[in-house]
Amino acid sequence: MRIFNRAVKMYLLRYKKTIADIRKYSLYLQDIELRKILNTPYFAPLDHKSFTGLAPSFYSDYQKDILQKINKGTGLYQGIKTFAKSADTSMTGAKYIPTSQLFLLRNHVNAGWLTMSIMYALKSDMDIISKKNLLVGGAIYKSETDLTIADISGLMIRNIPRIFHSYYVPSIEEATMPDWEEKLQVTAKKAAVNDIVMLAGVPTWILTLATEVLKYSGKNNLSEVWPYLKVYLHGGVKFDPYKAQFKELLPTSNVLYLEVYNASEGFFAIQDTLVNHGLLLLTCHGIYYEFILFENYKKADYYIINLAKVVPNMEYVMLITTLSGLRRYVVGDTIIFTTILPFRIKVKGRISEYINAFGEDLTQEAANRAITETLLKHNAHIRNYTVAPKYISLYEKGSHEWYIEFERSPCNIDIFKKELDLCIQNYNFNYKQKRTNDLAITELDIIELPKGFFNRFAKKRKKFGGQNKLPKLNNDRKLISEIEKLLKIEDKNLRQNESRMAQRSTS
């Protein structure tokens, strides 16, 4: 075991050097990467000059060719047999991102090794083979000779070297099964009786898993279940609203919390320092990055700049060009650079996730900061939340409605509501303007959802599982209409059950 661990550490030295090169030579590495990408068949006969004349692209530009390849096996993506199914935070349906084997290995798999290298660098006693590592990843939906459709984390799990398979829980086959409910139970049962040294997954999904693990183990917290846990890798959603809850689940200072920025389109960045400087942008892994100022993007001014021209603390829309054929593709996230040379970034939010129904321009960052601060003040925890505008009518002004499933409710919901509203005003000047003297909108409202509601809602929408994320901000009421419909059904069923129980007790 010790010999194997030493061998792993020796192998990771090559990735330690890669990290050092990325920190120091990102601009040079990006030039090399673009040349490699433009030499692939998907970009012929483009050269550097003609590439710089391309407009930004969106999934809709690729959808017809992708679906033709998936359904008929022909079309533009002849050389690609694998498509990563997106997490689908929108209401428009899943996306299928072309993922060549070359890109999968150079980008996602390599980034996995880089992440492990950083774990060992930041955690001196790290040893992934001393115990078990918990796999909380995505599914393989279809796997044939000519076509594979899977969540990107499922593809990464499938590429774990066979020599490491025995150190993971559950098995590779169980971890990638498409039935999330079955996978949840299988994973929880095995995790409850195994010593886990490393945990990875989207925070909202890990909280669901934690509930089941504690149920099977009979323990009070995850530190009692996994006393040797050393690292939790998280990403996919903002961690801040869940941080206090994880501190209660893991009441120890021995766990390293490490953030990664991995999407279906690519593995973009990794936290490489314990100082709060953002995530290191990976610049030599099959992706060429470009950016548009978010303020310009909102005005349809698509002036594109490369990494050499970015400045700190400005909000950008990120575009990627990849070895799998995506060309100046708009990922959908907005980011800021926290440092330049090395280039470290922080995800601000989603382009599509905002509320501007009354000119308030509420951003995802402001909403997350406000709910995090208010939860901490009231010692409350949430499982999930989503927000939408309540439109102005003839009889009342507009407002924001927060649909929240609390894990631990605040003692006084009315005070919580007032302080959340004030907190948003502190972080969003436009919202404060519209709220002054109830000028355009009145104080926000909170609709408390019953325990387990968002999981039931996800199952009803066939979006249950670690890859699917609930949109936090909605500029319309489409999602809320679905939520309200399920609430009415559950309320009706509850009243019917109570009526039956009353009839039985009187008979």
Side-chain angles (χ1 to χ4, degrees):
M1 190 79 75
R2 289 179 180 176
I3 294 174
F4 192 12
N5 187 49
R6 282 201 295 270
V8 170
K9 287 183 176 180
M10 290 293 292
Y11 183 74
L12 291 176
L13 289 177
R14 68 169 68 183
Y15 295 97
K16 183 178 180 180
K17 182 182 183 304
T18 303
I19 290 289
D21 288 344
I22 291 170
R23 288 171 179 155
K24 196 171 182 180
Y25 304 116
S26 277
L27 297 179
Y28 171 70
L29 294 172
Q30 277 286 270
D31 287 340
I32 293 175
E33 214 59 36
L34 181 58
R35 287 199 293 271
K36 288 179 180 177
I37 291 168
L38 293 181
N39 281 331
T40 60
Y42 313 114
F43 290 88
L46 276 180
D47 56 18
H48 186 275
K49 185 176 180 181
S50 53
F51 169 77
T52 58
L54 293 175
S57 69
F58 305 87
Y59 182 72
S60 56
D61 298 316
Y62 305 85
Q63 188 172 22
K64 183 179 177 181
D65 289 319
I66 287 172
L67 293 180
Q68 182 176 331
K69 170 64 179 177
I70 289 173
N71 295 326
K72 298 181 180 179
T74 60
L76 179 65
Y77 295 103
Q78 281 289 353
I80 293 180
K81 298 180 179 181
T82 301
F83 291 85
K85 188 177 179 182
S86 77
D88 183 22
T89 56
S90 69
M91 299 285 287
T92 57
K95 299 175 183 177
Y96 299 91
I97 307 301
T99 308
S100 68
Q101 186 63 18
L102 174 62
F103 182 67
L104 181 66
L105 294 175
R106 269 185 56 76
N107 182 263
H108 294 282
V109 173
N110 257 341
W113 285 108
L114 284 173
T115 304
M116 194 182 299
S117 173
I118 290 170
M119 284 190 318
Y120 271 77
L122 296 180
K123 190 76 175 165
S124 59
D125 61 344
M126 192 63 207
D127 180 358
I128 65 163
I129 60 173
S130 61
K131 308 292 179 186
K132 300 285 187 178
N133 301 274
L134 185 55
L135 289 174
V136 189
I140 307 284
Y141 301 102
K142 185 175 185 179
S143 185
E144 299 173 354
T145 304
D146 296 324
L147 180 65
T148 296
I149 295 175
D151 297 321
I152 194 63
S153 54
L155 293 172
M156 291 179 70
I157 288 170
R158 195 171 70 171
N159 277 274
I160 291 173
R162 187 169 293 277
I163 195 171
F164 290 108
H165 283 197
S166 62
Y167 300 103
Y168 284 91
V169 169
S171 68
I172 303 299
E173 292 73 22
E174 290 166 335
T176 56
M177 67 172 68
D179 187 327
W180 282 91
E181 291 190 67
E182 183 182 356
K183 178 157 59 179
L184 173 64
Q185 296 306 319
V186 167
T187 304
K189 285 178 183 177
K190 292 194 172 184
V193 296
N194 275 281
D195 285 330
I196 303 297
V197 70
M198 183 182 71
L199 169 66
V202 177
T204 47
W205 179 246
I206 294 296
L207 289 175
T208 298
L209 176 66
T211 301
E212 298 302 313
V213 169
L214 294 178
K215 188 191 302 179
Y216 283 117
S217 67
K219 304 292 186 182
N220 296 310
N221 59 60
L222 293 182
S223 289
E224 291 182 4
V225 185
W226 306 321
Y228 303 102
L229 184 68
K230 294 179 180 179
V231 175
Y232 170 41
L233 291 173
H234 62 87
V237 300
K238 291 281 187 180
F239 186 59
D240 287 349
Y242 307 100
K243 189 179 292 183
Q245 202 165 338
F246 272 88
K247 291 296 184 183
E248 286 194 11
L249 280 170
L250 295 166
T252 173
S253 59
N254 195 42
V255 175
L256 172 67
Y257 291 82
L258 207 61
E259 185 178 359
V260 297
Y261 181 14
N262 186 20
S264 301
E265 295 87 352
F267 201 130
F268 304 132
I270 309 169
Q271 180 185 347
D272 68 320
T273 171
L274 297 182
V275 182
N276 188 21
H277 284 320
L279 311 181
L280 184 69
L281 189 68
L282 304 180
T283 51
C284 59
H285 287 73
I287 296 177
Y288 183 72
Y289 300 96
E290 294 176 291
F291 309 90
I292 300 171
L293 276 171
F294 188 36
E295 283 301 313
N296 291 346
Y297 182 88
K298 289 189 288 186
K299 296 180 287 189
D301 176 5
Y302 298 147
Y303 178 69
I304 300 172
I305 62 173
N306 61 20
L307 199 57
K309 296 179 181 178
V310 300
V311 295
N313 301 317
M314 297 295 290
E315 190 169 7
Y316 294 101
V317 172
M318 190 165 77
L319 288 69
I320 60 169
T321 299
T322 75
L323 284 170
S324 289
L326 297 181
R327 308 179 181 196
R328 288 190 157 179
Y329 179 88
V330 177
V331 176
D333 293 326
T334 65
I335 60 102
I336 64 168
F337 284 87
T338 57
T339 64
I340 303 293
L341 292 175
F343 292 96
R344 293 195 179 97
I345 63 172
K346 176 183 176 184
V347 180
K348 296 278 281 186
R350 297 285 296 171
I351 294 169
S352 58
E353 286 192 40
Y354 63 93
I355 303 178
N356 198 28
F358 315 104
E360 71 278 40
D361 201 20
L362 179 64
T363 63
Q364 193 177 24
E365 183 188 30
N368 267 316
R369 289 177 73 178
I371 189 67
T372 300
E373 189 173 310
T374 313
L375 286 167
L376 193 60
K377 188 173 182 178
H378 287 260
N379 194 28
H381 294 159
I382 58 169
R383 180 55 61 94
N384 220 330
Y385 77 90
T386 190
V387 191
K390 182 180 179 182
Y391 298 123
I392 295 170
S393 71
L394 287 172
Y395 308 103
E396 57 183 349
K397 293 182 179 180
S399 64
H400 288 179
E401 290 186 324
W402 287 64
Y403 287 73
I404 302 177
E405 180 187 333
F406 286 100
E407 186 72 21
R408 183 165 67 213
S409 299
C411 294
N412 190 315
I413 193 67
D414 291 326
I415 295 176
F416 183 92
K417 180 171 66 174
K418 287 182 183 298
E419 291 184 351
L420 176 59
D421 190 86
L422 287 170
C423 215
I424 295 170
Q425 293 182 49
N426 289 338
Y427 290 124
N428 193 295
F429 179 73
N430 286 346
Y431 183 81
K432 184 176 182 178
Q433 276 189 322
K434 302 304 181 291
R435 282 284 297 112
T436 302
N437 299 321
D438 291 347
L439 179 66
I441 52 178
T442 59
E443 184 180 84
L444 65 84
D445 195 17
I446 291 177
I447 294 87
E448 286 192 74
L449 299 172
K451 290 283 182 69
F453 178 84
F454 277 122
N455 276 345
R456 295 193 297 273
F457 181 61
K459 291 172 187 176
K460 189 178 187 314
R461 300 176 76 216
K462 294 181 170 54
K463 292 185 178 184
F464 181 66
Q467 287 295 112
N468 290 296
K469 302 180 283 275
L470 185 79
K472 295 295 189 288
L473 301 185
N474 308 274
N475 205 36
D476 55 43
R477 295 188 66 82
K478 291 179 184 176
L479 183 69
I480 297 304
S481 294
E482 290 188 42
I483 288 173
E484 289 176 338
K485 192 181 295 183
L486 181 58
L487 280 172
K488 287 178 182 176
I489 292 171
E490 290 193 348
D491 184 58
K492 182 181 178 181
N493 291 341
L494 180 63
R495 282 188 277 109
Q496 286 177 344
N497 288 337
E498 287 174 347
S499 177
R500 289 194 203 99
M501 293 293 290
Q503 289 174 1
R504 286 175 188 166
S505 63
T506 57
S507 61

